[in-house]
Amino acid sequence: MRDYFEQARPTITFEIFPPKGSGDLASIFATVDALASLAPDLISVTYGAGGTSRENTVEIASQIQNSYAIPALAHLTCAGNSKDQIDPVLRTLSDNGVKNILALRGDLAEGERLKDFSYAADLIRYIKSRYDFRIFAACYPEKHIEAYSMDEDIRCLKEKTDCGVDVLISQLFFDNELFFRFRDQARAAGIETPIIAGIMPITSASQISRMVSMCGATVPEKVQKIIRAFGHNSMAMKEAGIAYATAQIVDLLSTGVDGIHLYTMNQPDIAKRISENIRGILYSLRIKRG
Ligand code: FAD
């Protein structure tokens, strides 16, 4: 198996989330089966995102790495973890051959408090000082929802990447111009880390409003029009969402993006349709880049 860092560029990566609570792992492995058949460059597994389980990330990431022979990226958060709690998690991942960690602050559950790590950068420094993982981190084309300004967020991002981040993955966005502007700002601030664009296909009006309230992404008029026109019909909405995400990805690929990270929402049929739509484009880019 080729490691993520040996794959041809631009890379295509998928994100999945574990089932809620102790949940049934059979369904997530059925999702992984379908996604693996699309031969992504890496599959990432969330950790407690949106209130989902923190329990199964290690198990799922380890299976992806070993049983599916696809590089796995395990998300881990400051939220929910002291140094003593994170060490066994990191050791198990390392023992299981997982090489990549997406180190995040995470969002706190109601009444929860951060323990030994206040920011993702603290977690990154800790991991780098004791383990041999490649580190991924998050970035925000429209700034992080808590940041006062884009300048402030970029300053914090520079500090974070200076801790030894290998790859940045962006929050979802629906307007590529915002991503391009952010990327220019990051480069101007001296951030040279590859930036992978996070794309979430729109599948329903309720999904959009949930995501937007969580991360504050702008919903352009074009997307609002799609929701108004097709939101009442799930099949039509899905078709339109796949078409919109495909157009976003083609535009990003044509401007030399480092990679695309698809928030699959555990819906492999959508990932499959999008992968088929961009297969030829990806092939030609990879040949060109050599
Ligand atoms: P940080 O980089 O720590 O930044 C958080 C905030 O603090 C920002 O506003 C930043 O500007 C500010 N800041 C940073 N450093 C400093 C400093 N030294 N002083 C003052 N302010 C500072 N959440 C989950 O719970 N589980 C997941 O699996 C998950 N996966 C994700 C995957 C991706 C690709 C992305 C983009 C997000 C994901 N999230 C996940 C959400 C993420 O945890 C939240 O957005 C969280 O609020 C911030 O995490 P971070 O790692 O970006 O935080």
Side-chain angles (χ1 to χ4, degrees):
M1 176 190 27
R2 283 209 291 181
D3 180 47
Y4 170 79
F5 291 89
E6 295 160 2
Q7 310 281 16
R9 299 287 184 267
T11 54
I12 301 294
T13 55
F14 294 156
E15 178 174 306
I16 59 169
F17 54 84
K20 284 205 178 214
S22 54
D24 172 20
L25 286 192
S27 69
I28 194 67
F29 286 120
T31 300
V32 177
D33 280 342
L35 291 175
S37 72
L38 305 172
D41 297 306
L42 172 152
I43 297 179
S44 87
V45 187
T46 66
Y47 184 87
T52 57
S53 154
R54 288 174 182 153
E55 311 300 316
N56 294 317
T57 301
V58 171
E59 162 74 11
I60 298 167
S62 301
Q63 290 253 14
I64 290 169
Q65 182 80 33
N66 296 305
S67 306
Y68 293 86
I70 291 175
L73 171 63
H75 299 206
L76 283 183
T77 61
C78 306
N81 283 305
S82 63
K83 288 178 181 171
D84 288 347
Q85 287 169 310
I86 203 108
D87 273 323
V89 175
L90 291 164
R91 273 198 298 271
T92 308
L93 286 167
S94 176
D95 290 348
N96 290 346
V98 174
K99 296 183 169 54
N100 307 302
I101 304 278
L102 175 53
L104 300 147
R105 187 196 65 185
D107 290 320
L108 294 169
E110 189 129 332
E112 193 181 23
R113 300 177 68 136
L114 289 165
K115 298 174 180 174
D116 290 336
F117 311 106
S118 302
Y119 297 106
D122 302 326
L123 180 58
I124 294 166
R125 273 190 288 266
Y126 184 75
I127 297 174
K128 291 291 251 190
S129 68
R130 287 168 173 75
Y131 299 88
D132 189 24
F133 289 104
R134 301 301 284 263
I135 299 293
F136 292 59
C139 63
Y140 301 85
E142 300 184 60
K143 84 172 182 60
H144 183 257
I145 201 157
E146 293 163 24
Y148 296 117
S149 66
M150 190 54 137
D151 285 350
E152 172 69 6
D153 206 28
I154 296 261
R155 193 187 59 71
C156 293
L157 184 62
K158 172 80 170 93
E159 257 181 54
K160 182 159 77 171
T161 54
D162 285 348
C163 297
V165 174
D166 297 290
V167 179
L168 289 166
I169 304 183
S170 90
Q171 182 58 279
L172 63 94
F173 58 91
F174 301 107
D175 179 348
N176 286 0
E177 293 311 316
L178 298 174
F179 176 83
F180 296 138
R181 194 183 310 160
F182 158 75
R183 192 175 54 182
D184 288 348
Q185 280 176 285
R187 298 296 180 234
I191 298 168
E192 287 168 6
T193 316
I195 303 175
I196 294 182
I199 297 294
M200 178 175 286
I202 317 154
T203 54
S204 72
S206 61
Q207 170 220 12
I208 286 277
S209 58
R210 202 170 53 249
M211 286 303 156
V212 167
S213 71
M214 271 167 67
C215 72
T218 302
V219 183
E221 175 55 23
K222 251 199 279 188
V223 173
Q224 293 182 32
K225 230 193 294 181
I226 288 174
I227 295 169
R228 282 197 297 273
F230 309 118
H232 65 287
N233 181 318
S234 60
M235 179 72 90
M237 188 67 212
K238 201 161 155 176
E239 291 290 320
I242 290 168
Y244 191 87
T246 301
Q248 258 194 294
I249 293 169
V250 170
D251 182 42
L252 288 160
L253 290 173
S254 71
T255 58
V257 75
D258 294 303
I260 302 291
H261 185 70
L262 203 61
Y263 295 100
T264 70
M265 306 302 288
N266 293 4
Q267 297 191 47
D269 56 324
I270 294 179
K272 181 167 189 282
R273 293 275 304 277
I274 294 174
S275 299
E276 284 167 356
N277 288 346
I278 61 167
R279 184 171 297 147
I281 291 169
L282 205 57
Y283 179 73
S284 83
L285 282 173
R286 286 174 172 176
I287 296 272
K288 202 167 150 192
R289 284 206 198 176

